Amino acid sequence: RQAEGSIIPYNAALINQGDTRLTFGNDFQFLTATDQTEAAEKIRRLYCQEVEKYGMEQVQILTPFRSSGEASANELNLTIQETVNPFQSTEDEIHLGQKTFRVHDRIMQTKNTDDVSNGDLGFLESVEDTESGQKAHLTYSMEALANVDLAYATTIHKFMGSQTRIVLIPVLMSQYNMLYRNLIYTAVTRAKEKVILVGEKRALFMAIHRADTSKR
């Protein structure tokens, strides 16, 4: 899946064996961040840089947590949305509970339906008013939007089975109870061309040494 000569499969094999003697280079990078606030800001900047080079469809933030701290999927989605797709017009927005969707947002389906599979990714192309109320691109009713999330960032678990060119991954001690070898292995093997880990190396190495023996 990765290009010949890529460090990614080499490091993935080491991770799978519980070996922390990783090789770092252009296609497998580690940037230090001491906490979630610093990691989230570095990821935000990196995301913008990589999207400018490769396009939004080719860059994905993968995080262990859905909703705990600035480096969680929920918080990163809000941060990235405000950066790359800030408010333009109320006509281009839909509000559903705590969620706000805007035209051009990166989105993910979170539940299987007749038309869309759980984990499918896409973009919100338009918002239109209909007799039954607002809906997105004539595909989603307001009710169906309950099964959609922003997808600039998503959990590693949610992205299983998918791949993209560039993957950005926060790895921090504050994520301790989710950090296991199989999770790191899954995250890095989602990338075809480049992995950028952001956080604390001790958290990365601890995760690599830690096999998940639970039956979650």
Side-chain angles (χ1 to χ4, degrees):
R1 294 183 293 193
Q2 290 82 19
E4 192 174 340
S6 168
I7 303 172
I8 297 171
Y10 172 80
N11 281 340
L14 290 176
I15 290 166
N16 203 34
Q17 295 158 18
D19 192 333
T20 57
R21 292 173 295 181
L22 306 179
T23 297
F24 296 96
N26 287 336
D27 55 354
F28 202 99
Q29 302 175 22
F30 193 98
L31 276 66
T32 301
T34 56
D35 56 29
Q36 293 214 34
T37 305
E38 185 182 0
E41 176 55 24
K42 286 191 174 181
I43 286 169
R44 184 189 69 81
R45 292 203 307 265
L46 284 165
Y47 182 85
C48 293
Q49 290 169 17
E50 298 300 323
V51 164
E52 195 171 323
K53 284 189 255 181
Y54 300 104
M56 202 175 285
E57 289 184 38
Q58 304 299 331
V59 184
Q60 187 65 47
I61 302 167
L62 298 180
T63 175
F65 275 119
R66 178 183 169 87
S67 60
S68 181
E70 292 104 315
S72 67
N74 287 355
E75 292 300 318
L76 283 166
N77 272 322
L78 295 176
T79 300
I80 300 294
Q81 183 190 47
E82 288 305 317
T83 302
V84 303
N85 195 23
F87 173 79
Q88 300 286 339
S89 162
T90 54
E91 294 178 359
D92 289 338
E93 278 196 349
I94 295 180
H95 300 277
L96 187 68
Q98 299 295 313
K99 299 178 185 178
T100 298
F101 297 103
R102 296 174 184 146
V103 172
H104 308 308
D105 270 337
R106 182 84 158 138
I107 56 174
M108 174 185 274
Q109 179 75 13
T110 60
K111 186 177 180 180
N112 287 325
T113 68
D114 291 340
D115 302 313
V116 197
S117 298
N118 184 10
D120 280 356
L121 289 155
F123 292 92
L124 183 61
E125 292 188 6
S126 66
V127 173
E128 297 184 18
D129 287 314
T130 69
E131 290 179 5
S132 58
Q134 275 191 322
K135 62 182 181 178
H137 193 48
L138 303 180
T139 302
Y140 288 96
S141 64
M142 288 296 283
E143 185 180 33
L145 271 177
N147 300 321
V148 173
D149 280 338
L150 290 174
Y152 302 106
T154 189
T155 61
I156 296 164
H157 177 76
K158 259 305 187 199
F159 208 68
M160 277 185 175
S162 299
Q163 273 206 305
T164 191
R165 285 176 76 172
I166 317 296
V167 168
L168 312 176
I169 312 161
V171 185
L172 297 145
M173 290 304 295
S174 58
Q175 302 165 328
Y176 175 86
N177 63 344
M178 286 296 291
L179 294 179
Y180 291 95
R181 182 186 307 156
N182 62 333
L183 196 78
I184 301 300
Y185 175 83
T186 298
V188 303
T189 54
R190 300 310 91 201
K192 294 178 186 175
E193 293 184 17
K194 189 191 294 183
V195 171
I196 307 177
L197 296 143
V198 180
E200 299 166 273
K201 270 198 179 164
R202 63 181 180 137
L204 173 64
F205 293 163
M206 181 207 71
I208 292 170
H209 285 308
R210 196 174 174 211
D212 186 359
T213 55
S214 69
K215 295 181 180 178
R216 286 179 296 123

